Amino acid sequence: MTDDLSFFFDHSLDLIAIADLDGFFKRVNPSWQRVLGWTAEDLLSRPWLEFVHPEDLPATGAEAGKLAAGAPILEFANRYRCKDGSYRWLSWRVPAPLAGSTRLYAIARDVTEQRRGQDLAKVVIDASPSAMVLVNAQGKIVLVNAQTERVFGYPGAELLGRQVEVLLPDRFRNTHEGIRTEYQSHPRARAMGAGRELCGRRKDGTEIPIEIGLNPLSIEGELFVLAAIIDISNRKRTEELEKVRVGLEAKVSERNRYAARLSARGAVTRILAEGTGFAEAAPRILEAVCSSLGWAVGEVWLVDVKAQVIRYVHGWHPRDPALAAFEAAARGAEWTLGQGISGDVWASGRVKWVEDVATDPASVRGELAAQAGLHGGFAFPVLLDGRVIAVMGFFSRAVQAPDEDSLSMMRDLGSQIGGFLERQRLRGQLEQSQKMDAIGRLTGGIAHDFNNLLTVINGYSELILERLSAGEAPLRDPVGEILKAGQRAAALTGQLLAFSRNQVLEPKVLSLNQVVRDMEHLLRRLIGEHLELVTSLAADLGRIKADPG
């Protein structure tokens, strides 16, 4: 038995030593020299504390104190100096000394490579930008890295052994235990950011938004979960700032569009206020709308009701060969009802918006638009008395989705231009009425003076006829003709006075057929040869009492 023990002592790969509480080794096996390089004589001749790394002396002294008090060392590691000056990590197991004895029987194992791997893993984990938390099956924290301390504000040692729920706000802790239990029953890797967003709780009680990635690990048959945690507070702030920025940009963009619409509306109003005709105003309106709203091409198409076509009459575009070719292709073009964008607007009487005329199958000039680099397009009708009399169309270089504000503005512009044309028509009617009134007043004045002359002529003609006897026929006939001519001239002046409304009303019994016949001669002179006047008289028409004028 003694031989077996000696063999075991001398050939064990572990470092076996018999020491004493006086601080010296009494016996060591050959593994000491193999591992540390010291001979047995070197080790036995000096206190064993001289071989301990200075940083490990306090902990080693504390463990020796436990042994002196009769407590065993179940697991303890410190660094021992090698003969070459380097250090090796030794893991110790020492049973308590026997009662009344100071002898110590120790076994040490070289764990330098394991510790180096652990230290390297710790460096790697601490270097991670994420907070790394290792949790065992009971939900207790067994490892944290430096980033965890920075994120949650806890010293690492304070977290070890505590439930992982300490890192969550109070309101989530109870439910999280159930989630953790469910996860452990079906452990699986979960990528960062997957699932719902979570809140973490710092030591000072403040809450932070976090994202968590989970990885289940099996270590010596025990389940652990490694949680990688990222504090996304900065990202959240950035996202909020981005939302604010996008919102502000949208407001600025909308304000700019609103200002552009006001500018276009104001420019059109000023052009129309100048009172020029539509033919003169149309090119300027096109330029104003394109310049204000950023459209590349503007066109005006007029409806020819008699020919039942809509015809291109005006266009505007900035100096550009491609746009000039697009505009040149439209000159002289005419479309039927419903053909092309303008024909469609003519048929419907409503605004039409096309996101991309280059690809729209209904577009008549899609290929030309593509060659000119034009895409977005819209057109609106110009109405007069509810009828489409013209269509104004615009094209842009960008594909554009319908903009309700722009559509509304274009409808308003169509109504504004239609109102302008209505005012132009009424002005023309007023001018014509004023002209006819002036002619009437002039005619009445002339007819009144001429009627005075005819009164003298007709009066003397009647007087001469009364004085001439029946036998004086050669004289009576010419005078009679003079009287007849005077009476016809008097009837004519009466009609002129009636036209000018300057004649005093004298009701008489009249034949309407005769009144029409008398007016026919006057009307034929007034209307000219390009108009045909047809009268239809009723033979059985009765007489009426009215003023002949």
Side-chain angles (χ1 to χ4, degrees):
M1 183 64 177
T2 303
D3 292 340
D4 290 340
L5 292 175
S6 295
F7 184 85
F8 173 77
F9 186 88
D10 292 337
H11 293 84
S12 173
L13 297 177
D14 290 330
L15 287 69
I16 302 175
I18 299 173
D20 199 281
L21 289 174
D22 63 2
F24 285 86
F25 290 115
K26 303 305 178 181
R27 183 180 176 185
V28 294
N29 70 343
S31 291
W32 285 86
Q33 185 172 357
R34 176 177 56 81
V35 173
L36 300 179
W38 298 106
T39 64
E41 290 75 14
D42 294 331
L43 294 168
L44 299 179
S45 63
R46 300 158 68 178
W48 43 264
L49 285 176
E50 288 187 11
F51 299 96
V52 177
H53 193 289
E55 293 180 0
D56 297 337
L57 285 173
T60 303
E63 293 298 320
K66 292 179 182 178
L67 288 170
I73 295 177
L74 299 179
E75 184 72 39
F76 173 70
N78 60 6
R79 286 166 287 181
Y80 259 64
R81 180 164 49 88
C82 300
K83 192 168 185 177
D84 62 6
S86 63
Y87 285 88
R88 307 287 293 182
W89 278 97
L90 301 181
S91 176
W92 294 90
R93 289 178 182 271
V94 184
L98 297 173
S101 173
T102 60
R103 277 284 192 266
L104 301 174
Y105 301 93
I107 298 177
R109 179 169 291 180
D110 182 7
V111 293
T112 303
E113 298 307 319
Q114 293 93 315
R115 290 299 296 253
R116 185 173 292 141
Q118 291 173 4
D119 291 343
L120 182 61
K122 185 73 165 67
V123 169
V124 171
I125 291 175
D126 282 343
S128 171
S130 303
M132 308 295 289
V133 179
L134 187 65
V135 180
N136 64 15
Q138 291 72 45
K140 292 184 178 181
I141 298 172
V142 297
L143 182 144
V144 296
N145 67 345
Q147 185 66 6
T148 303
E149 299 178 3
R150 288 190 285 270
V151 170
F152 291 98
Y154 285 94
E158 190 175 335
L159 288 173
L160 298 180
R162 300 183 67 176
Q163 292 296 122
V164 70
E165 281 77 23
V166 72
L167 301 179
L168 296 177
D170 293 340
R171 63 183 181 278
F172 294 142
R173 291 181 179 177
N174 290 336
T175 56
H176 186 265
E177 290 179 6
I179 294 172
R180 176 162 52 80
T181 301
E182 188 277 330
Y183 178 84
Q184 290 174 346
S185 64
H186 299 90
R188 66 273 184 199
R190 190 180 76 182
M192 184 74 69
R196 60 182 181 177
E197 288 187 357
L198 297 173
C199 279
R201 183 182 183 275
R202 292 173 54 83
K203 184 178 181 180
D204 61 10
T206 57
E207 295 186 7
I208 54 174
I210 57 175
E211 283 185 354
I212 300 179
L214 299 178
N215 248 328
L217 303 173
S218 179
I219 303 175
E220 297 180 357
E222 184 178 354
L223 176 65
F224 291 84
V225 177
L226 180 63
I229 305 170
I230 291 180
D231 177 1
I232 60 174
S233 300
N234 289 336
R235 191 176 78 194
K236 284 291 185 182
R237 283 191 290 270
T238 301
E239 290 174 353
E240 290 301 320
L241 289 175
E242 180 65 13
K243 288 180 182 178
V244 172
R245 184 190 66 80
V246 171
L248 288 176
E249 285 187 354
K251 289 181 179 179
V252 170
S253 178
E254 176 54 32
R255 182 170 296 180
N256 290 340
R257 289 196 298 270
Y258 178 72
R261 291 193 294 269
L262 283 182
S263 176
R265 194 190 302 271
V268 172
T269 300
R270 287 192 297 273
I271 293 170
L272 296 179
E274 294 175 4
T276 57
F278 182 66
E280 294 78 14
R284 297 175 60 198
I285 292 173
L286 294 177
E287 181 177 3
V289 172
C290 288
S291 299
S292 298
L293 301 180
W295 293 82
V297 175
E299 299 177 343
V300 175
W301 297 71
L302 287 182
V303 174
D304 185 337
V305 177
K306 186 175 181 180
Q308 279 298 291
V309 295
I310 186 167
R311 188 175 291 114
Y312 175 92
V313 291
H314 295 295
W316 182 90
H317 59 81
R319 292 182 180 274
D320 185 296
L323 299 181
F326 179 77
E327 189 267 340
R331 292 178 197 153
E334 53 185 36
W335 297 339
T336 58
L337 191 69
Q339 184 182 16
I341 297 177
S342 298
D344 193 13
V345 173
W346 175 26
S348 67
R350 295 190 299 270
V351 177
K352 180 172 183 178
W353 190 294
V354 180
E355 291 189 27
D356 190 352
V357 294
T359 59
D360 184 51
S363 177
V364 177
R365 295 186 290 168
E367 185 176 348
L368 292 172
Q371 293 172 0
L374 297 174
H375 295 281
F378 75 89
F380 63 89
V382 177
L383 303 174
L384 184 61
D385 291 337
R387 296 181 298 104
V388 178
I389 63 168
V391 173
M392 304 190 80
F394 298 88
F395 300 90
S396 75
R397 293 191 180 277
V399 176
Q400 295 197 16
D403 177 357
E404 185 55 39
D405 290 332
S406 295
L407 289 173
S408 177
M409 188 201 76
M410 294 306 166
R411 283 191 288 267
D412 292 344
L413 283 183
S415 299
Q416 186 178 4
I417 296 171
F420 164 78
L421 295 176
E422 176 66 14
R423 291 192 299 274
Q424 289 284 89
R425 186 182 68 172
L426 293 176
R427 184 181 294 115
Q429 291 177 347
L430 177 61
E431 291 174 354
Q432 180 66 19
S433 175
Q434 291 172 339
K435 184 187 297 184
M436 294 303 295
D437 184 61
I439 293 174
R441 287 196 299 272
L442 176 62
T443 302
I446 295 173
H448 186 271
D449 292 341
F450 189 59
N451 192 52
N452 292 336
L453 296 175
L454 289 175
T455 300
V456 173
I457 293 171
N458 290 340
Y460 276 104
S461 296
E462 290 175 353
L463 183 60
I464 291 172
L465 286 174
E466 289 178 357
R467 292 183 177 182
L468 289 175
S469 61
E472 296 177 299
L475 292 177
R476 289 181 61 86
D477 290 342
V479 174
E481 289 300 321
I482 292 172
L483 180 59
K484 288 180 182 179
Q487 288 174 341
R488 286 196 297 272
L492 179 61
T493 56
Q495 293 172 353
L496 291 175
L497 287 171
F499 171 76
S500 64
R501 292 180 174 81
N502 286 330
Q503 185 179 26
V504 178
L505 295 180
E506 296 180 3
K508 296 179 181 178
V509 176
L510 300 173
S511 168
L512 291 179
N513 285 339
Q514 187 59 43
V515 171
V516 171
R517 290 191 191 96
D518 292 342
M519 289 297 296
E520 183 178 357
H521 299 291
L522 176 64
L523 291 175
R524 289 189 184 280
R525 295 189 187 96
L526 290 176
I527 63 177
E529 296 180 355
H530 63 288
L531 293 178
E532 180 182 1
L533 178 63
V534 177
T535 58
S536 177
L537 305 179
D540 58 347
L541 189 65
R543 293 177 175 270
I544 64 169
K545 187 175 184 180
D547 186 90

